[in-house]
Amino acid sequence: MVPCWGLTLSAAGGSFLLTGMPKIALFVPCYVDQLYPQVGLATLRVLRRLGLEVEFPEEQTCCGQPMANSGCAEEVRTLAERFLRIFGSYEQVVAPSGSCVSMVRNHYAQWLEGRPGFDRLRASTFELCEYLVDVARVAKVEGDFPRKVGLHQSCHGLRELGLARSSERMVAPFDKVRFLLGQLRGIQLVDLTRPDECCGFGGTFAVAEEAISCLMGRDRIADHEKGGAEVIAGFDMSCLMHLDGLIRRAGKQLRVMHVAEILEGARLS
Amino acid sequence: MIGHAERAARFAADEDRAHWHDQALWFVRLKRDRQAASVPEWEALRVTAAAVKMHTLSRLADYLEQFERNARSNGIQVHWARDGDEHNAIVHGILADRGITRLVKSKSMLTEECHLNPYLEARGIEVVDTDLGERIVQLAGEPPSHIVLPAIHKKKEEIGELFHQKIGTEKGASDPKYLTEAARGHLRQKFMVAQAGLTGVNFAIAETGGVVVCTNEGNADMGTSLPPVHIACMGVEKIVPRAKDLGVFLRLLARSATGQPVTTYTTHFHGPMRGGELHVVIVDNGRSAILAQETFRRSLTCIRCGACMNTCPVFRRSGGYSYGYTVPGPIGSLLAPLRDPRRYGSLPFASSLCGSCSDICPVNIDLHQELYAFRQVLARAKVVPWRKRFAMALLGLVLSRPWAYRLAGKLARWIVPRLPRALAYGPWNPWGRQRELPPTPKESFRDLVRKEPP
């Protein structure tokens, strides 16, 4: 089902898009490009199945989050400027990562404030699930996924993009990712004792604080296992890479999947 | 230099203990959630509290002077201390002038920060911490490991053994009620002979010139009702403009701290007891230097509830001592390096930046964003180890050149699966100590996307 773009208020600047389809740039985080290509492909296919025009600008590399996370601000500047140059000409930017989108939306201002096109780029860069729910207005998800799934709330998507209500906040509950996944036939979203505790990846934290990072990860896995999950689903491959590394080391049967891989087989409308 | 990561690893090496510590604090977090959920306007209170605090900081000097004027007219003696040494000297001066040698204290993180106890003890004054948790760590010769739950790192069996040795409880007894009764009896004797009582200050009200102390055990009230001299020590940031502002903060404080609707005792001191003296010592000790830094100013609005510690997944698994500073956890990871970036440079990295602290903070401090920002301060000051800075500079060079990025990716994906396991998982690879490396597909997304039908 093609969403009605003629009437969609563009988040890009409050102007109505009267020119038909927006041209979407696919922003694929560097480690997804190199290590999890199937997640990038799934994202591309989900968007194209909605009838959207999507391109992958090949000049893109990395948003610079590892350096920003380490405090090395000067190393980020070039990458932020490149990002604006490469993605600034698209109507919208979509990425299968909450963390990298948050980097653009919440942290790039330090390097790009006042640059022509930056405010528009920042407002029109979306994580995949929030794009599907908020922009493409997907209301219906049809497909089968007869598995027990534990939903991992990656922190930056959860708290910095607001993909769901965090457990600390006393506001009405909502969850955009659960809204999408929950509609699949046969899926059982399992209950977790701690619905949104951090998995301990944390970027460079994963190696700088290796002991705590791995303990946090093992605790998260145990919580999913206790809930009976067969699959840990998430919207950030980085957290899932960390959890998967621990799962495989322990020889467990649990597997991790990006939400895009689960939605790839579904019909969204 | 040993930093948080090494100390945390040591704590977490005893996994059972780390899990026990984690569960104990998570229990407090859940109590907080239930209490916060019972207040429909919770989020509005947080925003209001932050606004009141930021406003107060914006004219801090005026409010402090207003407080001083009103306090003096209430008969309170007000003292000003530039730093910890001055603070200690003032407290000691008050005691020494009156020939006081026995002091009872209720909880005050400020006096911990200033290391008042050893200062007074070295000058012949007996100092007894009367908060149960503080008394436990004092008897053990340790600093508090948490600002609200000072002995949270100790199991009841360990406290039983400590009490057996120090205050003569039965060997092997670990029933919390029995131990608490014993401590109560022991402390009662100390209260009866104390010549002065020292407390912290939770809020100082500019408008009325009074101070407010919040406790659960009544020890502050005991320590200020029996002896004739009361000394209250406060950081400059404890000021609130009006008495009615307490209607915001008192609703947030105990709920956030321990999951209680309000502290058991909330005592307002607006003058000395009849025939007695009330001294308020107002301490800067680096606070005005923090106030001058716009990015980190909000850390001064902290009301020391400890919620950021209870919710922090790192703190719960690494213990308060891993931070090596009086105030541990997310807020301490800011306050400590703001004071001494070299000594405490590892603390802003002791966070996965999950943001739970920012969402739970009752005064809405953007803790994880400030930790993120402080890392840049440390990198600029070259406190971040050169290897990390070099690696990041190299990574930056590669990532800003698509050809270099493609080549590096391709090489890594080709080489890593061909390495002997002993090499791939050698000591150089902290990722691989407990985790498998990620998969190394033959083709990257950018290779595969070319084959995708448009």
Side-chain angles (χ1 to χ4, degrees):
Chain A
M1 192 54 64
V2 177
C4 185
W5 287 112
L7 292 175
T8 304
L9 187 68
S10 161
S15 66
F16 281 93
L17 293 173
L18 298 169
T19 49
M21 299 294 190
K23 197 186 264 184
I24 298 173
L26 188 60
F27 160 31
V28 175
C30 51
Y31 68 95
V32 171
D33 174 37
Q34 293 296 325
L35 307 174
Y36 299 100
Q38 75 280 9
V39 173
L41 290 174
T43 307
L44 182 69
R45 290 171 191 155
V46 167
L47 293 171
R48 283 193 175 153
R49 271 189 89 178
L50 276 169
L52 301 166
E53 193 185 330
V54 188
E55 279 179 18
F56 174 73
E58 285 214 8
E59 286 296 288
Q60 66 179 284
T61 55
C62 167
C63 65
Q65 196 180 172
M67 295 79 144
N69 202 315
S70 310
C72 301
E74 270 323 292
E75 280 70 32
V76 184
R77 183 180 303 282
T78 325
L79 293 169
E81 285 167 352
R82 287 189 85 244
F83 194 95
L84 176 60
R85 204 165 60 238
I86 294 164
F87 289 99
S89 57
Y90 290 87
E91 295 278 354
Q92 288 161 339
V93 182
V94 179
S97 161
S99 197
C100 303
V101 168
S102 178
M103 177 72 191
V104 175
R105 195 180 296 168
N106 298 314
H107 297 295
Y108 263 12
Q110 180 185 354
W111 300 279
L112 299 177
E113 189 85 79
R115 296 288 183 92
F118 171 61
D119 285 341
R120 208 190 61 81
L121 174 71
R122 172 157 66 169
S124 55
T125 301
F126 301 97
E127 183 279 331
L128 174 66
C129 296
E130 72 174 350
Y131 183 82
L132 294 176
V133 174
D134 296 343
V135 185
R137 301 270 176 216
V138 167
K140 220 166 143 190
V141 180
E142 294 165 278
D144 295 297
F145 200 74
R147 310 288 294 273
K148 289 185 175 172
V149 175
L151 178 54
H152 176 63
Q153 301 282 4
S154 289
C155 302
H156 291 169
L158 175 72
R159 297 199 183 82
E160 295 189 350
L161 300 183
L163 293 183
R165 182 201 66 165
S166 70
S167 60
E168 299 86 11
R169 308 231 329 132
M170 299 299 149
V171 296
F174 63 94
D175 187 334
K176 295 172 191 179
V177 185
R178 185 173 285 265
F179 169 75
L180 294 170
L181 290 184
Q183 297 187 48
L184 291 162
R185 272 185 301 269
I187 196 167
Q188 277 186 62
L189 289 165
V190 307
D191 287 331
L192 301 172
T193 314
R194 301 183 186 181
D196 53 16
E197 179 148 293
C198 177
C199 69
F201 172 69
T204 50
F205 179 84
V207 288
E209 289 260 4
E210 186 263 349
I212 300 299
S213 168
C214 290
L215 187 55
M216 285 166 70
R218 283 201 303 277
D219 290 350
R220 215 76 295 285
I221 292 164
D223 198 3
H224 283 271
E225 283 183 314
K226 204 173 129 206
E230 303 162 88
V231 173
I232 299 181
F235 44 82
D236 256 306
M237 258 346 266
S238 49
C239 307
L240 296 179
M241 170 171 79
H242 160 67
L243 294 175
D244 187 48
L246 292 163
I247 289 169
R248 284 190 288 128
R249 176 63 61 90
K252 293 179 190 292
Q253 292 305 306
L254 210 58
R255 63 173 293 205
V256 300
M257 281 180 87
H258 193 277
V259 174
E261 296 176 277
I262 299 178
L263 292 177
E264 189 181 353
R267 222 174 94 92
L268 310 182
S269 57
Chain B
M1 196 174 83
I2 291 216
H4 179 272
E6 293 77 14
R7 291 189 294 257
R10 228 176 283 150
F11 184 84
D14 184 348
E15 210 167 304
D16 288 343
R17 193 178 187 90
H19 277 145
W20 166 80
H21 190 261
D22 165 70
Q23 284 294 352
L25 290 164
W26 185 254
F27 175 75
V28 183
R29 157 73 206 268
L30 290 178
K31 275 176 74 185
R32 171 267 173 201
D33 287 355
R34 281 194 293 276
Q35 276 303 324
S38 74
V39 181
E41 63 273 35
W42 183 259
E43 296 298 331
L45 280 179
R46 293 175 68 218
V47 173
T48 308
V52 171
K53 279 284 187 179
M54 286 307 286
H55 162 82
T56 311
L57 288 181
S58 76
R59 50 200 71 186
L60 186 60
D62 296 342
Y63 281 124
L64 283 167
E65 287 179 2
Q66 185 190 1
F67 170 79
E68 181 185 29
R69 277 194 306 277
N70 291 330
R72 284 196 201 283
S73 62
N74 290 336
I76 298 173
Q77 301 181 48
V78 179
H79 311 259
W80 297 87
R82 199 171 285 119
D83 53 30
D85 291 342
E86 275 192 19
H87 162 266
N88 293 346
I90 289 168
V91 173
H92 178 248
I94 296 169
L95 300 175
D97 288 351
R98 289 155 187 79
I100 292 172
T101 54
R102 292 188 302 274
L103 175 71
V104 285
K105 269 178 74 199
S106 75
K107 190 131 81 301
S108 152
M109 293 316 293
L110 175 67
T111 57
E112 289 290 336
E113 171 189 319
C114 298
H115 306 292
L116 177 69
N117 287 13
Y119 181 93
L120 293 180
E121 281 159 2
R123 286 157 183 80
I125 292 169
E126 183 199 49
V127 183
V128 177
D129 279 312
T130 59
D131 170 274
L132 178 56
E134 288 244 304
R135 185 63 182 150
I136 293 169
V137 293
Q138 190 184 30
L139 287 174
E142 296 168 1
S145 75
H146 183 296
I147 60 171
V148 173
L149 313 161
I152 189 70
H153 61 291
K154 284 206 178 304
K155 297 193 176 187
K156 59 181 193 289
E157 293 77 17
E158 294 163 351
I159 295 166
E161 181 56 30
L162 177 72
F163 277 14
H164 170 65
Q165 286 171 21
K166 301 282 180 175
I167 62 172
T169 55
E170 281 171 46
K171 175 98 185 143
S174 65
D175 174 50
K177 188 166 182 304
Y178 167 75
L179 295 177
T180 308
E181 287 293 340
R184 187 183 154 97
H186 158 78
L187 285 171
R188 191 58 59 102
Q189 296 160 18
K190 300 290 180 187
F191 280 124
M192 297 306 285
V193 298
Q195 298 157 299
L198 186 146
T199 68
V201 169
N202 290 91
F203 305 97
I205 310 161
E207 173 190 69
T208 66
V211 297
V212 178
V213 180
C214 305
T215 65
N216 275 331
E217 299 167 17
N219 56 317
D221 304 85
M222 191 78 93
T224 53
S225 306
L226 293 171
V229 179
H230 173 193
I231 305 170
C233 301
M234 59 176 269
V236 290
E237 82 283 14
K238 293 292 176 191
I239 289 274
V240 293
R242 303 162 301 185
K244 73 174 185 184
D245 297 323
L246 296 174
V248 177
F249 292 103
L250 292 178
R251 298 182 75 196
L252 290 165
L253 178 62
R255 287 189 171 89
S256 298
T258 50
Q260 297 164 267
V262 72
T263 39
T264 318
Y265 299 89
T266 301
T267 309
H268 298 237
F269 295 96
H270 276 87
M273 68 164 85
R274 198 179 306 154
E277 299 172 41
L278 173 51
H279 299 261
V280 172
V281 187
I282 304 174
V283 186
D284 184 324
N285 204 27
R287 285 163 178 73
S288 50
I290 297 175
L291 186 61
Q293 300 181 54
E294 203 180 336
T295 317
F296 306 109
R297 189 173 292 162
R298 286 174 71 178
S299 62
L300 283 182
T301 65
C302 172
I303 57 172
R304 301 290 191 273
C305 71
C308 63
M309 293 157 209
N310 304 337
T311 204
C312 178
V314 177
F315 180 92
R316 279 189 264 110
R317 291 172 181 81
S318 64
Y321 295 148
S322 64
Y323 295 82
Y325 184 65
T326 315
V327 181
I331 183 67
S333 298
L334 274 172
L335 294 174
L338 275 164
R339 186 169 299 263
D340 186 344
R342 284 192 189 276
R343 182 159 172 205
Y344 301 110
S346 71
L347 296 189
F349 295 92
S351 164
S352 61
L353 301 180
C354 77
S356 181
C357 48
S358 304
D359 275 5
I360 210 160
C361 177
V363 291
N364 227 357
I365 303 174
D366 52 346
L367 284 157
H368 80 292
Q369 303 292 14
E370 294 198 21
L371 290 172
Y372 166 89
F374 206 87
R375 294 177 181 189
Q376 294 186 15
V377 174
L378 294 170
R380 271 200 304 276
K382 303 202 187 320
V383 176
V384 175
W386 71 267
R387 273 183 308 197
K388 194 171 196 172
R389 282 182 287 122
F390 177 75
M392 289 301 152
L394 194 66
L395 192 60
L397 285 177
V398 171
L399 291 173
S400 53
R401 290 160 180 76
W403 65 266
Y405 162 78
R406 281 195 304 271
L407 182 66
K410 206 170 184 119
L411 279 173
R413 280 181 289 113
W414 191 87
I415 293 169
V416 171
R418 282 166 179 78
L419 290 175
R421 190 166 169 96
L423 189 57
Y425 288 88
W428 62 274
N429 176 6
W431 176 276
R433 208 170 293 154
Q434 303 183 61
R435 286 167 290 218
E436 291 299 297
L437 287 166
T440 45
K442 275 207 177 65
E443 291 175 294
S444 66
F445 171 78
R446 64 188 63 217
D447 297 330
L448 290 169
V449 77
R450 296 215 173 101
K451 303 174 192 167
E452 191 73 359

